[in-house]
Amino acid sequence: MATLSNELRAVMVPDNFLDNPKNVLKENCLVIQQFSYECERMRNNSSDVYGATKPVIMRFTIRVNSPVHAKEFYHRLALNGHYDFSVLFNVTYDANRRLADYEDGMVVNGYIVGVEENYNSMKDQEGIDKQMLLDVEILVRSTIYMGREEQNNLKSVFIH
């Protein structure tokens, strides 16, 4: 059986955290077990991006903290609208369990096209599964990348 990560290397917030970055609670950050996507863009001789992005599917597996979080993904799937999802790397929290800092990240906007549930074999004393994993697929509309530059200033790059 695969061992699940308890390290907070990458977390997902099912919203655009840029709207209020200092108000992201640790309870709303879902630990990402794995994710993948391929983004191909046309570039000119100066390496500037031009043209439309080819349709991209982003796949990720998250550890669900509560049934409320799982219901939110199913609700978004049923509504068939586009939503924001924030992925943050190497996060730290303050004493009030709010987002204090992160190394880099991205905000992905897209449509949920698939959700699957997986349960691990870890059970508590009552025999109930301790963790549930969700495998989610998103058809990406746009991506905003955020990363550190000199002297820890964040730079955002919008790719659509």
Side-chain angles (χ1 to χ4, degrees):
M1 179 52 144
T3 304
L4 297 178
S5 172
N6 290 317
E7 301 275 335
L8 292 181
R9 302 241 186 246
V11 296
M12 168 167 284
V13 180
D15 204 358
N16 186 342
F17 89 104
L18 292 173
D19 293 340
N20 198 354
K22 295 298 182 183
N23 201 26
V24 176
L25 294 171
K26 185 175 181 177
E27 300 83 55
N28 295 332
C29 294
L30 308 171
V31 177
I32 296 177
Q33 300 298 316
Q34 64 182 2
F35 80 97
S36 66
Y37 77 108
E38 295 179 16
C39 184
E40 294 183 20
R41 294 298 308 257
M42 302 291 286
R43 295 187 181 269
N44 62 17
N45 292 339
S46 302
S47 297
D48 295 325
V49 175
Y50 70 92
T53 304
K54 296 179 182 178
V56 175
I57 296 288
M58 179 180 193
R59 293 173 179 87
F60 57 87
T61 302
I62 54 172
R63 188 175 66 214
V64 179
N65 299 335
S66 74
V68 173
H69 291 120
K71 287 179 185 178
E72 180 64 26
F73 284 96
Y74 284 111
H75 180 70
R76 291 179 181 193
L77 175 66
L79 291 179
N80 199 24
H82 59 90
Y83 299 95
D84 291 323
F85 303 90
S86 301
V87 178
L88 303 170
F89 300 95
N90 296 322
V91 298
T92 57
Y93 300 99
D94 63 15
N96 296 323
R97 299 176 56 88
R98 295 189 186 283
L99 179 67
D101 197 15
Y102 60 95
E103 188 173 309
D104 52 12
M106 60 185 166
V107 177
V108 177
N109 182 278
Y111 301 90
I112 294 181
V113 294
V115 178
E116 290 184 25
E117 296 177 10
N118 291 315
Y119 295 90
N120 69 358
S121 63
M122 297 171 48
K123 300 197 182 285
D124 61 13
Q125 293 175 348
E126 290 81 33
I128 299 173
D129 289 309
K130 290 171 61 175
Q131 295 181 356
M132 182 176 84
L133 301 178
L134 283 183
D135 294 322
V136 181
E137 292 183 343
I138 297 175
L139 177 61
V140 177
R141 288 183 65 225
S142 65
T143 306
I144 301 173
Y145 294 96
M146 288 123 353
R148 300 263 183 219
E149 281 191 329
E150 297 175 16
Q151 301 180 359
N152 289 335
N153 293 324
L154 286 173
K155 179 181 180 182
S156 296
V157 177
F158 177 73
I159 296 179
H160 62 282

